[in-house]
Amino acid sequence: MTPPRPLRADAARNRDALLAAAADEFAERGLEASVADIARRAGVGKGTVFRHFATKDDLLAAIVIDRMDALDAVGQDLLTADDAATALHEFLTAAAHQRQQRDLSFLQSAGDVSPEVTRTRTRLYATIDHLVARARTQKAIRPDITGADVILLMCAPNYVVSYVPEAPPDLWQRYLAIIFDGLRPAAAHPLPHPPPSLDLSDTAT
Amino acid sequence: MTPPRPLRADAARNRDALLAAAADEFAERGLEASVADIARRAGVGKGTVFRHFATKDDLLAAIVIDRMDALDAVGQDLLTADDAATALHEFLTAAAHQRQQRDLSFLQSAGDVSPEVTRTRTRLYATIDHLVARARTQKAIRPDITGADVILLMCAPNYVVSYVPEAPPDLWQRYLAIIFDGLRPAAAHPLPHPPPSLDLSDTAT
Amino acid sequence: MTPPRPLRADAARNRDALLAAAADEFAERGLEASVADIARRAGVGKGTVFRHFATKDDLLAAIVIDRMDALDAVGQDLLTADDAATALHEFLTAAAHQRQQRDLSFLQSAGDVSPEVTRTRTRLYATIDHLVARARTQKAIRPDITGADVILLMCAPNYVVSYVPEAPPDLWQRYLAIIFDGLRPAAAHPLPHPPPSLDLSDTAT
Amino acid sequence: MTPPRPLRADAARNRDALLAAAADEFAERGLEASVADIARRAGVGKGTVFRHFATKDDLLAAIVIDRMDALDAVGQDLLTADDAATALHEFLTAAAHQRQQRDLSFLQSAGDVSPEVTRTRTRLYATIDHLVARARTQKAIRPDITGADVILLMCAPNYVVSYVPEAPPDLWQRYLAIIFDGLRPAAAHPLPHPPPSLDLSDTAT
DNA sequence: AATGAATGAGCATTCATTCAT
DNA sequence: CATGAATGAATGCTCATTCAT
């Protein structure tokens, strides 16, 4: 389905180096990080980037997919935990931990750059939806919170922290805690707007 | 100190038109909105942009300062309200309302591009700090929440909503409500990390 | 309809310099002449090329249109000459003279890069068609020759000469003469294939 | 003298496949056909192309040589025909038929990329010169036409036809007929320029 | 003061060619 | 020998910024 051929050893190493370098570069300079800088950071020639990823957008998509898949795996594991509240908190912790920097790209911002991204995102969203549903059933979180709510709030801790000039690397934990407290039934006040639909339907073939 | 000369009438009109056009353009297309488009939207020549703002970044800074000043005025007003909790909530509502779109960039992202920005930001932060202190004193919010916490969380509702493809214009209210519930004493769990310092001291000359 | 504004004096000078430089460069190195080289040859910056012609193709189109219009003017003049055979010969001479070098670009090769090109070409073709029709009526050329035939053969002398390493500048006259003799009734043998249609209809609005 | 070693069987097969693939690709997309596409079409790796032909230009030269040799063989055969006029016409027909598409580039355009090309071209030119001389002697063509004239005019039919958008595959026959009529004594008018010298002497070592 | 023409650094992308596997 | 991964020069084009009009 994806590339059938297993890739030569050195090529695989380069591909990984590129993904890592690109993730760092995108994290530091946003979407306008240049391909040349990414190549330099990965220690390869500019042309090599395009051998592996036909387009800058494809490179971005590959990073996004990688991240989302890794996160989905974590979520799948946690689906079988007994305590749904702890499971959801652990999931959000893993998500925030993935990058303590400005990973703004890894949600919708990457757009529907490729059907593969859409597919992967849909899968991840479904997993989160299940995690949230379980927590709701166990009354660990308030009944008016949906999966979409959590999906949207998930990145807020990292975002918020990105504005602190020399932030300690774990500062996001503070804001995850505050937001998570907002999800608990204890402090619940009626919500002034219905939740959005993020279209979790499976539109993939 | 800063503007030495009161600016001719037409020049002032141009300056305002430019600020408005730039704000719209940045809101629609993000930071990569082109100076040429801004000039066209303002109905002036490209050169005029640079007569008023030496640099694209200076233009951005001017917008940021405008916004922060307007918000500071709102905050100052609310400092005298009786109910500190309501006052803080109203302030956050005003902040989120200012733009439901992507000029969340108006905090640190504009960097310390000019001492004027720094000065204005410091002033705004101090106001917010007071609002939060009053709410804390009235036990309307939990005791472990600082001004810096609120400053950081303030933009999260807009950020979060920016990932919803065709978001209804008031959706941010939902997430402000959730986050605000997280600030209330009712659901408070111990916070895992001390609050950051945003250096509210007045470092300007 | 086209650019309504009359263009500043220096801008017009640059535009002309660019057209001339581009024509030379295209003539020497074919379509893959680089915009950078054209700019250098015209003595302007690279950006200036794109201010005047949004696209390399637009630049090419402008040249083509210029040439075709000039040629059309010659043809229009000759439509009123008494001796249609001489008129046609003079027209073909003017066409070949326009560039003794590889002007391969100035016919279909530029494709229908813009409706303006199409329009201009249609006009030129119609003029040629009239010239040919008159010559045919006067029995100066064979009856089985159409306007399309002449249009196609028109560039052959230049093409043919382009393969002579250090061709004398008037060598094309020799081949125009030979081909023109082929158009005369005297040596006519039946033609083995019907003439093509070049769609001389006026499809423009 | 040139190929020192008789080439292994599979290598020879690859070489032929490459020549065929390259000829097709050049015909379809012109000189800017990419080596990668040629390799893919031939079913070999890109590196293999360069093992056989040190340079893209060398590959082009090899094709040119192939074509010129094939055409020379046809010409040699026709040298013994009784009717020199028919022989010449048949030769030109064969030449035009070789490809009705855009490998008219196979004359000078390939330049003197290698001495081998020069040598082959010289041989072909000599053959054509003989064919023309015989026709001239038999008064089948006008006395002021030289071998060089025919060599140059030879590709005109293909060239001319290349500007007809969806040309029927045999359209070139029409223009060959017209040009050939121009070579006949019947319509001959004095030629305005002496014939060029194409240096048919054998300058190769 | 306002304009918009000119500039050139910077960008994503292509491709002939080289070289490790 | 064959492969295809790596390379980097070159290209068309954009855009913040400068400057002549």
Side-chain angles (χ1 to χ4, degrees):
Chain A
M1 191 196 260
T2 14
R5 190 175 302 247
L7 221 50
R8 248 168 52 184
D10 54 346
R13 211 171 328 121
N14 272 343
R15 201 192 127 97
D16 290 347
L18 273 171
L19 282 175
D24 286 350
E25 205 73 16
F26 281 136
E28 282 175 18
R29 333 228 307 218
L31 282 170
E32 76 232 41
S34 87
V35 172
D37 285 346
I38 291 170
R40 198 169 313 122
R41 188 163 191 151
V44 304
K46 212 176 357 166
T48 304
V49 180
F50 290 98
R51 156 163 293 277
H52 286 279
F53 308 96
T55 265
K56 190 186 177 182
D57 276 352
D58 284 357
L59 173 53
L60 189 60
I63 295 176
V64 168
I65 289 172
D66 257 24
R67 302 283 172 131
M68 293 200 297
D69 267 342
L71 201 52
D72 189 43
V74 172
Q76 294 285 352
D77 268 8
L78 289 168
L79 269 180
T80 59
D82 283 340
D83 182 352
T86 305
L88 182 58
H89 191 275
E90 267 182 42
F91 176 79
L92 294 176
T93 297
H97 189 82
Q98 238 194 16
R99 276 255 114 195
Q100 79 271 29
Q101 272 182 304
R102 56 156 34 197
D103 236 11
L104 38 96
S105 50
F106 91 91
L107 260 183
Q108 224 87 352
S109 102
D112 285 323
V113 86
S114 86
E116 179 102 25
V117 169
T118 308
R119 225 162 19 235
T120 309
R121 182 166 47 224
T122 303
R123 223 180 309 131
L124 172 59
Y125 283 6
T127 301
I128 299 178
D129 204 42
H130 286 148
L131 281 170
V132 171
R134 288 190 69 225
R136 215 188 304 110
T137 304
Q138 296 189 3
K139 306 211 191 285
I141 62 172
R142 41 204 283 194
D144 49 1
I145 292 293
T146 70
D149 288 329
V150 173
I151 287 165
L152 289 174
L153 287 166
M154 179 169 65
C155 297
N158 298 288
Y159 167 72
V160 144
V161 156
S162 73
Y163 285 121
V164 179
E166 314 217 339
D170 287 342
L171 181 57
W172 55 267
Q173 294 181 350
R174 180 177 180 88
Y175 299 102
L176 174 54
I178 295 175
I179 290 172
F180 201 83
D181 282 346
L183 299 179
R184 299 184 199 270
H189 286 59
L191 294 177
H193 199 286
S197 148
L198 285 184
D199 193 8
L200 302 185
S201 70
D202 197 340
T203 60
T205 50
Chain B
M1 191 199 261
T2 10
R5 183 180 303 234
L7 223 48
R8 253 170 46 182
D10 55 344
R13 209 170 333 121
N14 272 346
R15 200 191 127 96
D16 289 348
L18 274 170
L19 282 175
D24 285 350
E25 205 72 18
F26 282 137
E28 282 175 17
R29 331 220 318 213
L31 282 171
E32 79 242 23
S34 86
V35 173
D37 283 347
I38 292 171
R40 196 170 313 122
R41 189 164 192 150
V44 305
K46 216 178 351 171
T48 305
V49 181
F50 289 96
R51 165 163 303 279
H52 286 281
F53 308 96
T55 258
K56 192 187 178 182
D57 277 350
D58 285 356
L59 174 52
L60 190 60
I63 295 175
V64 167
I65 287 173
D66 257 22
R67 302 283 171 132
M68 292 200 296
D69 267 342
L71 201 52
D72 189 43
V74 172
Q76 293 287 350
D77 268 6
L78 289 168
L79 270 180
T80 59
D82 284 339
D83 181 352
T86 306
L88 181 58
H89 191 274
E90 269 182 41
F91 176 78
L92 294 176
T93 298
H97 190 83
Q98 240 195 14
R99 276 258 117 192
Q100 78 271 31
Q101 271 181 306
R102 58 167 352 196
D103 30 339
L104 26 103
S105 55
F106 84 89
L107 263 182
Q108 227 83 356
S109 105
D112 284 325
V113 84
S114 84
E116 177 104 27
V117 169
T118 309
R119 217 153 35 227
T120 309
R121 182 167 48 224
T122 304
R123 219 179 312 130
L124 172 60
Y125 282 7
T127 301
I128 300 177
D129 203 42
H130 286 147
L131 281 171
V132 171
R134 289 189 69 226
R136 216 189 303 109
T137 304
Q138 296 189 7
K139 307 213 189 283
I141 62 172
R142 42 205 283 193
D144 49 0
I145 293 294
T146 71
D149 288 332
V150 173
I151 287 165
L152 290 174
L153 287 167
M154 180 169 63
C155 296
N158 298 289
Y159 167 72
V160 144
V161 156
S162 73
Y163 286 121
V164 179
E166 315 216 338
D170 288 340
L171 182 57
W172 55 266
Q173 294 181 350
R174 181 177 180 87
Y175 299 103
L176 174 54
I178 295 175
I179 290 172
F180 200 83
D181 281 346
L183 299 179
R184 298 182 199 272
H189 286 60
L191 294 176
H193 200 284
S197 147
L198 283 184
D199 193 7
L200 302 186
S201 70
D202 197 340
T203 59
T205 50
Chain C
M1 191 195 257
T2 14
R5 192 173 302 246
L7 222 50
R8 248 167 52 183
D10 54 346
R13 210 171 330 121
N14 272 345
R15 201 192 127 97
D16 290 348
L18 273 170
L19 282 174
D24 286 350
E25 205 73 16
F26 282 135
E28 282 175 18
R29 333 227 309 219
L31 282 171
E32 75 231 41
S34 88
V35 173
D37 284 347
I38 291 170
R40 198 169 312 122
R41 188 164 193 152
V44 304
K46 211 177 358 166
T48 304
V49 180
F50 290 99
R51 157 163 292 278
H52 286 280
F53 308 96
T55 265
K56 190 186 178 183
D57 276 351
D58 284 356
L59 173 52
L60 188 61
I63 295 176
V64 168
I65 288 172
D66 257 23
R67 303 282 171 129
M68 293 200 296
D69 266 342
L71 202 51
D72 188 43
V74 172
Q76 293 285 353
D77 269 7
L78 288 168
L79 270 179
T80 60
D82 283 340
D83 181 353
T86 306
L88 182 58
H89 191 274
E90 269 183 40
F91 175 79
L92 294 175
T93 298
H97 189 81
Q98 238 193 17
R99 277 254 116 197
Q100 79 271 29
Q101 273 183 303
R102 56 156 34 198
D103 237 10
L104 36 95
S105 51
F106 92 89
L107 261 183
Q108 225 87 355
S109 102
D112 285 324
V113 86
S114 85
E116 178 102 27
V117 169
T118 308
R119 221 155 29 227
T120 309
R121 181 166 48 224
T122 303
R123 223 180 307 130
L124 173 59
Y125 282 6
T127 301
I128 299 178
D129 203 43
H130 286 147
L131 281 170
V132 171
R134 289 190 69 224
R136 216 188 302 110
T137 303
Q138 297 188 4
K139 305 213 191 286
I141 61 174
R142 41 205 284 195
D144 49 0
I145 293 293
T146 70
D149 289 330
V150 173
I151 286 165
L152 290 174
L153 287 165
M154 181 169 63
C155 296
N158 299 288
Y159 167 71
V160 144
V161 156
S162 73
Y163 286 120
V164 179
E166 314 216 338
D170 287 342
L171 181 56
W172 54 267
Q173 294 180 350
R174 180 176 181 86
Y175 299 103
L176 174 55
I178 295 174
I179 290 171
F180 201 83
D181 281 347
L183 300 178
R184 298 184 200 272
H189 285 60
L191 294 177
H193 200 285
S197 147
L198 284 185
D199 193 8
L200 302 186
S201 69
D202 197 339
T203 60
T205 49
Chain D
M1 191 196 260
T2 10
R5 183 181 302 234
L7 225 49
R8 255 171 45 183
D10 54 346
R13 210 171 332 119
N14 272 346
R15 200 191 128 96
D16 290 348
L18 273 171
L19 281 175
D24 286 350
E25 205 73 17
F26 282 136
E28 282 175 16
R29 329 221 318 212
L31 281 171
E32 79 243 21
S34 85
V35 174
D37 284 346
I38 292 170
R40 196 170 313 124
R41 189 163 192 152
V44 304
K46 217 179 349 172
T48 306
V49 180
F50 289 96
R51 165 160 303 278
H52 287 282
F53 308 96
T55 257
K56 191 186 178 182
D57 277 349
D58 285 356
L59 174 53
L60 189 60
I63 295 175
V64 167
I65 288 173
D66 257 22
R67 303 281 170 132
M68 293 200 296
D69 268 342
L71 201 52
D72 189 43
V74 172
Q76 293 286 351
D77 269 8
L78 289 167
L79 271 179
T80 60
D82 284 340
D83 181 352
T86 305
L88 181 59
H89 191 275
E90 268 182 40
F91 176 79
L92 294 176
T93 297
H97 189 81
Q98 238 193 15
R99 277 257 118 192
Q100 78 271 30
Q101 272 182 302
R102 57 169 351 196
D103 30 339
L104 25 103
S105 55
F106 84 90
L107 261 182
Q108 228 83 356
S109 104
D112 283 327
V113 85
S114 85
E116 177 103 27
V117 170
T118 309
R119 217 153 34 227
T120 309
R121 181 166 48 224
T122 303
R123 222 179 307 129
L124 172 61
Y125 282 6
T127 301
I128 299 176
D129 203 43
H130 286 148
L131 280 170
V132 171
R134 290 189 69 224
R136 216 191 301 110
T137 304
Q138 295 188 6
K139 306 218 191 281
I141 62 173
R142 39 204 287 192
D144 49 1
I145 293 293
T146 70
D149 289 331
V150 173
I151 286 165
L152 291 174
L153 287 166
M154 181 169 63
C155 297
N158 299 289
Y159 167 72
V160 144
V161 157
S162 73
Y163 286 121
V164 179
E166 314 216 338
D170 288 341
L171 182 55
W172 56 265
Q173 294 182 350
R174 182 177 179 88
Y175 299 103
L176 174 54
I178 294 174
I179 290 173
F180 201 82
D181 281 346
L183 300 178
R184 298 183 200 273
H189 286 60
L191 294 177
H193 200 285
S197 147
L198 283 185
D199 192 8
L200 302 187
S201 69
D202 197 341
T203 59
T205 51

